[in-house]
């Protein structure tokens, strides 16, 4: 499992063998069964987490019990609650596994140490954070200005493999629509 993370790093930057070994020495391997929590609302998130296998979702539950999915994360993506991590406050989110999943975790203290001590690793992390910020901006823009059909088409074009891995009810929640609306849109787009 760690080898997947190592390949990810090797594809993004160049490290010496001793730097790679140093990073590996701080890694924590975590396996989740389908529906198992990585983080529960009210807990404080303390890790930087990389997914080597599987699919997770980050979501909140409102006072009526409705789920609102903030994001999905798959292989070679990072997950967690950045706000809880940075401010050490209870999370507003749950993160659970949609599929059996495997992750490489680093305590945030160790992750920051690695960033300080290995400049190439830090540069890689900063690039990832910038891309994540841009992706969040694009998601907000789509959510505010796209029609329901445009949101769905944007989702399947941007994440083509997700539709076969993620239940339609979860996709509807992520897109901010009812499952019935999503079903209608899917039928309409299939006819075109």
């Amino acid at each position: 499992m760690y080898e997947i993370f190592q390949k990810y790093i090797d594809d993004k930057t160049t490290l010496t063998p001793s730097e790679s070994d140093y990073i590996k020495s701080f890694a924590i391997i975590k396996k989740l069964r389908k529906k198992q929590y990585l983080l529960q609302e009210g807990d404080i998130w303390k890790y930087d987490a990389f997914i080597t296998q599987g699919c997770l979702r980050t979501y909140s539950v409102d006072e009526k019990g409705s789920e609102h999915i903030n994001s999905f994360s798959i292989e070679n993506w990072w997950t967690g609650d950045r706000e809880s991590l940075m401010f050490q406050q209870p999370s507003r989110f749950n993160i659970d596994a949609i599929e059996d999943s495997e992750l490489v975790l680093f305590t945030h203290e160790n992750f920051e140490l690695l960033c300080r001590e290995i400049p190439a690793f830090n540069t890689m992390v900063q690039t990832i954070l910038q891309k994540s910020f841009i992706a969040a901006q694009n998601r907000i823009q789509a959510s505010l200005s796209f029609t329901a059909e445009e949101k769905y088409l944007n989702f399947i074009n941007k994440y083509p493999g997700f539709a076969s891995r993620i239940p339609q009810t979860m996709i509807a929640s992520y897109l901010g629509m009812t499952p019935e609306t999503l079903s209608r849109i899917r039928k309409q787009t299939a006819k075109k």
Side-chain angles (χ1 to χ4, degrees):
M1 175 190 329
Y2 186 84
E3 297 72 32
I4 295 168
F5 180 64
Q6 185 63 56
K7 181 180 180 334
Y8 173 84
I9 293 174
D10 292 343
D11 289 345
K12 303 230 177 265
T13 192
T14 303
L15 302 176
T16 67
S18 63
E19 288 173 331
S20 292
D21 290 343
Y22 189 56
I23 292 169
K24 185 176 183 178
S25 73
F26 291 104
I28 303 164
I29 306 302
K30 175 83 172 166
K31 293 184 179 188
L32 296 174
R33 293 177 314 281
K34 182 178 180 177
K35 297 186 179 182
Q36 186 177 357
Y37 286 100
L38 178 64
L39 173 68
Q40 286 187 277
E41 180 183 354
D43 293 344
I44 295 175
W45 180 242
K46 298 178 181 188
Y47 300 96
D48 289 88
F50 179 83
I51 303 165
T52 58
Q53 178 184 326
C55 182
L56 290 88
R57 66 180 173 147
T58 301
Y59 66 99
S60 61
V61 179
D62 67 21
E63 60 281 346
K64 296 177 185 173
S66 298
E67 292 181 358
H68 302 280
I69 297 177
N70 187 44
S71 65
F72 297 109
S73 305
I74 60 168
E75 296 87 2
N76 292 323
W77 289 19
W78 296 83
T79 191
D81 180 347
R82 198 98 191 128
E83 181 180 33
S84 177
L85 180 69
M86 299 311 296
F87 299 109
Q88 287 298 288
Q89 65 187 27
S91 179
R92 296 176 289 143
F93 299 105
N94 298 291
I95 302 174
D96 67 8
I98 296 172
E99 306 169 345
D100 289 348
S101 301
E102 297 177 351
L103 300 95
V104 176
L105 305 176
F106 297 89
T107 65
H108 190 58
E109 295 79 18
N110 288 338
F111 198 78
E112 286 184 325
L113 174 71
L114 292 170
C115 287
R116 280 193 308 272
E117 294 188 358
I118 305 173
F121 186 75
N122 184 56
T123 299
M124 178 194 81
V125 169
Q126 293 307 313
T127 300
I128 292 164
L129 288 172
Q130 290 171 5
K131 288 180 178 179
S132 175
F133 181 78
I134 292 166
Q137 282 184 314
N138 291 337
R139 174 154 157 67
I140 292 166
Q141 179 63 28
S143 139
L144 294 173
S145 61
F146 286 10
T147 66
E149 183 176 346
E150 289 170 333
K151 287 178 190 178
Y152 174 68
L153 292 173
N154 182 55
F155 177 79
I156 60 171
N157 288 328
K158 198 170 211 167
Y159 310 111
F162 281 27
S164 61
R165 295 176 74 174
I166 298 170
Q168 294 301 305
T169 55
M170 290 183 188
I171 293 173
S173 172
Y174 174 79
L175 296 174
M177 60 183 74
T178 65
E180 296 78 18
T181 299
L182 178 58
S183 180
R184 187 179 70 251
I185 290 168
R186 289 181 69 224
K187 286 178 189 170
Q188 290 171 350
T189 57
K191 291 178 185 176
K192 291 182 180 180

